[in-house]
Amino acid sequence: MNFDLSDEQNVVKDLAQQIFEGHAPVERVKDIERNHGGFDEALWRELAKANLLGLCLPEALGGSGYGLVELCLLLEQQGRRVAPVPLWATVVLGALPIAEFGTDEQRALLEGVISGDVRLTAALSETGADEALRPSVVATRTATGWHLHGFKPTVPAAQFAQRVLVPARQEASAGDGPIGIFLVDPTAAGVTVEPVSATSNQPFAHLTLDVDVAAGDRLGGADADGEAQLRWLLERALVGLCALQLGVCTAAIEQTAAYTSTRTQFGKPLSTFQGVAHQAADAFILTEPMRVTMLQAAWRLMHGLSSRQEVLIAKYWASEGGQKVVHLCQHLHGGMGSDIDYPIHRYFLWGVQNETTLGAGSVQLARLGTLIASDAVGAAS
Amino acid sequence: MDIGDSPDEAAFRLEARTWLEQHAKRRDPSARHRPASTDAEQDAHAKACQDWQRVLYAGGWAGLTWPKQFGGRGGKPWQAAIFAEEQSKFDVSTGVFSVAHGMVAPTLMMHGDDRQRGHLDAMLRGDEVWAQLFSEPEAGSDLANLGTRAVLDGDQWVVNGQKVWTSGAQHSQYAILLARTDPDAPKHAGITYFIVDMRSPGIEVRPLRQITGVAHFNEVFLTDVRIPVENVVGEVNAGWKIAHTTLSNERALIGGSGGNAFTVPELIEMARRYHRTDDPVVRQGLAQAHIRAEILKYMGYGVRTSISRGVMPGPGASVMKLFFARHWAAVGSLAVAIEGAAGMLWGDSASDDGLWQQVFCQQYAIRIGGGTDEIQGNVIGERALGLPREPSLDRDLPWRETRGTKA
C-alpha cells in the first residue's frame, strides 16, 4: 500500500524522461507529423539503444524483464512529450501477448522488437459499436492453415508494422466458433493497408483482409484459448492508454500553469484571477486520481491479481477526467490553443484520442455499473 | 511500490479483524445509520465514542502511528490504513475525538512543549475531547482577519470575543484557540495559538441547529476568559504558521473520513431495495460513486504516509478534501434521486430513518467546513501548480486599520 516508486523504478522513469526530453522537442515533433507520417524512426532507435523497447520483455530474449508498472512509467514519459513513436502499439498490443502466449517461433519476433527492427500492432477496434471482444473478421480452415476475411478500421501504426495481431472468429459448423488471434504480415498479398488521417496526427490505417495465413501463425498454437488471450491483451491495452493519458495531462497542466502565470491582462498574470486558477486546480484534481487508479490497475495485473474492476476504473477516469483536463488546458490558453504552431493543441488532440480509444468513459462506466450493481451479478465486494 | 496486501499486511489485517470481532459488533449494511440528531442521541454518541476509545487504548490499538513517547503504538501508516478499513466494518466510532486526534495532536507533536504534549496521552485514553475555536462571524475564509482579542494581564491572558462553527463544543474539555495579540501588526503577524480549558469561567456555548436537524456546530462566546501564559503554543504572535499545521491536518481528516457516514455498498443496497439497479443510468451513478470511493482510498495512503512522517500533508490534503466534498454531494443527490418521491421525506418518515436526506443536506457543511471548495482551489493553485498569489489589498497593513475600514 505504497504508491512511491522504488529506486529501480525511478531509474527507469528518469532514463525514459531523459530520452523523450532530449529527442522529442516541439520542432522535431512538428516535423515528424508533417513530413514523416507520424513516426520518428531516429527516436525509435534511441529507445532501442537504451533497451527501453525490451524493458518488460523476457531477459532470455535480451529484454530487461521488468513488468507492466515499469512499462507504464515509460508510456507516461512518452505522453508528456506527445512523442510520435508506436510504443503502445508495438510493445503493449504486440510484444506483450507474444511474450506471454507465443510459440517459440512467434517469440523469436521479439528479438527484432528489442533491437528496434520489428514493429508490431493489433487490430482491436471494430466498426460502429466498439466491442473488441466480438471480432468481425472470420477465419476459415484451409489445407495449410487459415483464411482470414474481413475489415478492421483504425489499426494503430499498421503502416509501420511487420506483424499485426488480428483477432478473428473461427468459423464453426454451427453458430459462433472460438476466437483465435492471428499474426498477419501486412505486406502479404491479400492484405490492403490504407493509411488514414487522424485528428491527433498519429498514424493509423484501415486493414482489409482476404488472406491466407499459416497454421503456425495462430497465437500460441492451434489449441490456445484465443478469447482468454484477447481479454488479457485488452486489459493491458487499456492500462497502457491510461499511462499515456497521465503523461499527456500532467504535462498539459504544467504548461498551462506556466502560460497563465506569464500571460498578463488587466495588469496582472491571468492565473491570479480565481476564475482561471480554479479551472487549473480542477485540472490538477482530475489528474491525481488518474495516477493512483492507473498504478493500482497496473500493479494488480503485474502480480496476477483480479483486476477487472480496477482496469475499468482506471480507463473510466483516464477517459472522463482526461478529456476534461485537456479541454480545460486548451481553454486556458485562449487563442493560443487553436494555433498549431503552439504546442498545447497536441495535448488536447492526444487526450481525446486516448479518451475514445477502446471505449470512452461511458463504455467503461456501463460495464462497471453492471459488474457492481446488477442483480444478477451481486453486490460489490 | 506495493498496493495489495503483502504477507506482513495480510497478517496485520487478520490480527486487527480478529481483535475487532472480539470487541465490537459488525456493521450491518442493511441496518440504519442515521447520525445522532437529538441532544440525548448526541450525548449517547459521545459516550459511545469515549467507551470505544477506552477499549482501543486498553487493547493497544489507540494512536497506531503516534510515537511511543506520546502513548502511541509507533506503527506504520499502512497499519493505520488497514485498521481504519477493518474498523469501518464494525458498528463503532471515535468521531467525537476527530478534532483531538486528527488536528490538535499532530499540531502539539510538532509545535507543543513537553507539558502541552501531556494532553496527548489523555486524548488517546479517551479522557479528553477537544474543540477548535478558529472561525468567527467576520473571519471565515479570511481566517487571519479574526478579531477575538487576548490581552496579557500578569501571568494570564484575558480573552474576549466570539467564535462560531465550533464542532462538538458542548462535549469538549479543551479547545485550541486563535486570538489577536497584536492588532498593530499585519493580520497574519499578530495572532497567537492557545490551549484553553473549556470549563473556564466566561465561556458560553450556544448550539446551532442545522439544516440536517443536528446541532453539531456551536457558537462560543468568550468573556474575560483567563488563560495561563504556559498555554501559549509556540511563540506569542506566531500562531498563524501553527494554525496552518492544524488546518492542513483538518483537510486530510475530512478528506479521509469516507465511510464514516455511509458506504457505497450501503448505497447500492438501498438502490436494490427500491428496485432501481436494473436502470442503467442508476447503475452508472453507483459505479461513479464506487470509483470515487476507491480513488479516495488510494489517495488516503499517500496523505497518511506524510502525516505519519511528521510532515504537513500539503496540497494532497486539499485535493482529497475537495474530491471528498464533491463525492459526498454527488452521493447525496444520487441517493435522493434513487428514492424518487420518497426522497422528499424526512426523519422517521423517510426510509433508513432519513439517513440519505441527512447526507444530502450535510453536503454544504462538508463543502464549506475546513476551508471552502474555493479555498482548496486556491491552495492547489498556489502550492501544487506554483501559480502566483492573488494580489491582496490588506496583507501588509496593520490589522487594526483594515478592520477599521470594514467597520
Side-chain angles (χ1 to χ4, degrees):
Chain A
M1 263 200 259
N2 174 9
F3 285 94
D4 293 340
L5 300 182
S6 70
D7 290 347
E8 271 194 327
Q9 288 167 336
N10 273 315
V11 169
V12 169
K13 193 200 90 180
D14 291 346
L15 176 62
Q17 185 177 5
Q18 194 188 324
I19 289 178
F20 283 116
E21 279 185 2
H23 294 85
V26 175
E27 287 308 314
R28 171 83 183 163
V29 171
K30 207 186 287 183
D31 177 49
I32 294 294
E33 271 180 3
R34 285 178 193 172
N35 306 314
H36 301 276
F39 172 37
D40 187 341
E41 227 173 320
L43 172 56
W44 193 253
R45 293 282 159 206
E46 289 298 325
L47 291 167
K49 228 170 19 181
N51 201 13
L52 286 174
L53 298 177
L55 183 70
C56 59
L57 296 179
E59 286 172 284
L61 297 167
S64 303
Y66 283 102
L68 189 62
V69 169
E70 289 78 13
L71 178 56
C72 284
L73 298 177
L74 176 63
L75 289 163
E76 181 188 346
Q77 293 304 318
Q78 182 196 357
R80 286 184 61 88
R81 306 302 298 194
V82 289
V85 281
L87 192 57
W88 178 68
T90 296
V91 179
V92 183
L93 302 190
L96 284 187
I98 290 175
E100 179 74 12
F101 302 111
T103 60
D104 286 347
E105 192 191 337
Q106 291 162 352
R107 283 161 62 99
L109 275 170
L110 300 180
E111 288 177 36
V113 169
I114 293 166
S115 67
D117 297 325
V118 171
R119 283 167 303 274
L120 306 169
T121 187
L124 297 174
S125 294
E126 294 289 334
T127 307
D130 204 346
E131 182 45 278
L133 279 168
R134 280 195 286 277
S136 61
V137 172
V138 175
T140 325
R141 281 263 183 212
T142 64
T144 55
W146 299 86
H147 182 80
L148 299 187
H149 187 268
F151 176 74
K152 279 289 189 172
T154 57
V155 182
Q159 59 267 58
F160 300 115
Q162 277 77 27
R163 289 289 181 283
V164 182
L165 275 66
V166 179
R169 176 73 62 188
Q170 292 171 199
E171 208 167 52
S173 48
D176 277 350
I179 291 172
I181 298 181
F182 298 88
L183 275 62
V184 175
D185 177 354
T187 63
V191 181
T192 313
V193 177
E194 181 200 342
V196 290
S197 306
T199 47
S200 68
N201 286 311
Q202 290 173 284
F204 289 90
H206 293 335
L207 227 58
T208 308
L209 300 153
D210 190 4
V211 62
D212 287 324
V213 295
D217 289 332
R218 191 179 186 276
L219 181 63
D223 302 321
D225 181 347
E227 182 167 342
Q229 291 173 347
L230 187 54
R231 285 186 189 280
W232 188 97
L233 167 54
L234 278 169
E235 287 189 328
R236 280 146 187 88
L238 289 171
V239 175
L241 287 171
C242 297
L244 278 168
Q245 187 76 322
L246 173 64
V248 166
C249 290
T250 48
I253 292 172
E254 286 167 20
Q255 289 173 25
T256 302
Y259 177 78
T260 56
S261 297
T262 46
R263 163 92 176 151
T264 302
Q265 289 284 273
F266 304 101
K268 56 180 192 168
L270 275 183
S271 61
T272 58
F273 292 92
Q274 286 195 339
V276 171
H278 286 179
Q279 292 191 59
D282 270 341
F284 185 81
I285 290 166
L286 290 163
T287 304
E288 282 309 288
M290 224 178 279
R291 182 187 311 282
V292 291
T293 54
M294 181 276 284
L295 286 173
Q296 172 84 357
W299 188 89
R300 289 186 70 91
L301 284 173
M302 185 164 104
H303 288 87
L305 301 167
S306 71
S307 316
R308 206 166 152 208
Q309 274 195 31
E310 286 77 6
V311 171
L312 293 174
I313 290 174
K315 182 57 165 66
Y316 169 76
W317 205 269
S319 289
E320 200 58 27
Q323 60 94 3
K324 284 185 189 138
V325 170
V326 295
H327 275 285
L328 284 167
C329 291
Q330 179 80 357
H331 177 72
L332 291 177
H333 273 81
M336 301 308 277
S338 50
D339 177 359
I340 60 167
D341 271 330
Y342 197 85
I344 196 69
H345 75 285
R346 211 166 270 116
Y347 291 84
F348 173 65
L349 296 173
W350 274 54
V352 175
Q353 177 84 57
N354 292 333
E355 175 205 354
T356 52
T357 301
L358 297 179
S362 57
V363 174
Q364 318 303 335
L365 193 61
R367 287 177 185 149
L368 185 65
T370 306
L371 197 63
I372 67 166
S374 83
D375 290 329
V377 177
S381 59
Chain B
M1 198 189 73
D2 188 1
I3 302 160
D5 270 1
S6 68
D8 279 358
E9 289 166 346
F12 182 82
R13 190 183 293 279
L14 182 66
E15 184 193 344
R17 191 177 296 170
T18 308
W19 184 85
L20 283 161
E21 295 279 10
Q22 287 163 359
H23 293 87
K25 198 169 89 237
R26 268 204 177 265
R27 183 169 158 139
D28 174 0
S30 61
R32 313 291 177 253
H33 295 294
R34 185 176 65 171
S37 327
T38 64
D39 290 349
E41 280 173 4
Q42 282 193 290
D43 289 345
H45 174 72
K47 166 105 181 25
C49 289
Q50 254 172 328
D51 290 346
W52 177 239
Q53 186 62 34
R54 288 183 177 129
V55 174
L56 287 173
Y57 188 86
W61 294 96
L64 261 176
T65 59
W66 292 21
K68 287 189 176 149
Q69 67 189 105
F70 301 137
R73 183 159 160 164
K76 299 267 182 279
W78 61 262
Q79 294 178 320
I82 287 177
F83 189 78
E85 233 175 272
E86 290 302 317
Q87 184 178 244
S88 72
K89 297 169 190 162
F90 291 81
D91 213 0
V92 290
S93 172
T94 54
V96 82
F97 295 101
S98 295
V99 173
H101 295 165
M103 293 157 62
V104 182
T107 309
L108 292 184
M109 284 182 205
M110 215 184 273
H111 304 285
D113 61 30
D114 285 345
R115 205 189 57 84
Q116 292 162 351
R117 287 168 171 167
H119 287 288
L120 295 170
D121 193 59
M123 290 177 200
L124 278 193
R125 285 178 182 280
D127 292 342
E128 286 183 10
V129 175
W130 285 61
Q132 177 200 35
L133 298 172
F134 279 19
S135 293
E136 297 180 6
E138 294 299 320
S141 288
D142 186 9
L143 180 61
N145 186 44
L146 58 91
T148 292
R149 290 278 281 117
V151 178
L152 192 60
D153 177 24
D155 58 358
Q156 289 181 324
W157 290 88
V158 180
V159 181
N160 281 283
Q162 185 201 338
K163 296 291 178 176
V164 72
W165 310 122
T166 313
S167 301
Q170 65 271 56
H171 300 117
S172 299
Q173 286 82 45
Y174 289 92
I176 43 176
L177 166 77
L178 295 181
R180 184 149 314 273
T181 39
D182 183 357
D184 295 313
K187 61 179 177 179
H188 297 96
I191 295 169
T192 300
Y193 195 117
F194 295 95
I195 291 171
V196 55
D197 188 329
M198 287 295 283
R199 294 152 293 194
S200 312
I203 296 182
E204 187 196 347
V205 176
R206 293 185 201 161
L208 290 169
R209 187 68 57 186
Q210 295 146 238
I211 189 171
T212 53
V214 179
H216 170 83
F217 295 119
N218 300 274
E219 295 177 297
V220 178
F221 294 84
L222 302 113
T223 311
D224 293 332
V225 176
R226 302 189 84 84
I227 302 178
V229 287
E230 56 266 29
N231 280 16
V232 170
V233 181
E235 303 292 321
V236 172
N237 293 330
W240 184 247
K241 197 171 171 296
I242 303 173
H244 258 292
T245 303
T246 309
L247 294 172
S248 193
N249 279 285
E250 179 175 22
R251 288 161 196 157
L253 174 73
I254 296 173
S257 61
N260 287 356
F262 61 85
T263 65
V264 174
E266 284 167 2
L267 180 65
I268 296 173
E269 171 61 31
M270 184 273 278
R272 225 182 274 284
R273 273 187 281 123
Y274 277 83
H275 306 291
R276 297 298 307 280
T277 46
D278 54 350
D279 178 339
V281 176
V282 168
R283 280 211 301 268
Q284 286 166 34
L286 296 171
Q288 283 171 321
H290 175 63
I291 289 169
R292 291 187 306 260
E294 288 290 294
I295 288 169
L296 281 162
K297 188 168 83 181
Y298 308 151
M299 291 202 291
Y301 299 157
V303 169
R304 209 186 281 266
T305 301
S306 25
I307 292 173
S308 74
R309 286 180 191 153
V311 294
M312 295 241 292
S318 288
V319 171
M320 225 171 126
K321 198 263 172 184
L322 189 40
F323 196 91
F324 178 69
R326 289 177 180 172
H327 172 52
W328 185 296
V331 164
S333 302
L334 175 65
V336 170
I338 286 173
E339 293 188 352
M344 292 178 289
L345 300 176
W346 181 252
D348 294 342
S349 307
S351 64
D352 297 346
D353 289 339
L355 164 69
W356 300 106
Q357 285 72 20
Q358 291 253 354
V359 171
F360 177 75
C361 290
Q362 177 75 2
Q363 62 177 286
Y364 286 97
I366 307 278
R367 289 157 72 168
I368 304 296
T372 62
D373 291 357
E374 287 72 20
I375 290 288
Q376 308 309 332
N378 290 349
V379 172
I380 292 163
E382 284 169 26
R383 299 198 203 135
L385 297 175
L387 305 183
R389 277 190 90 89
E390 192 182 5
S392 165
L393 297 176
D394 59 0
R395 195 171 173 79
D396 302 317
L397 298 175
W399 174 79
R400 194 195 295 277
E401 280 178 29
T402 67
R403 188 72 157 192
T405 60
K406 281 178 192 167

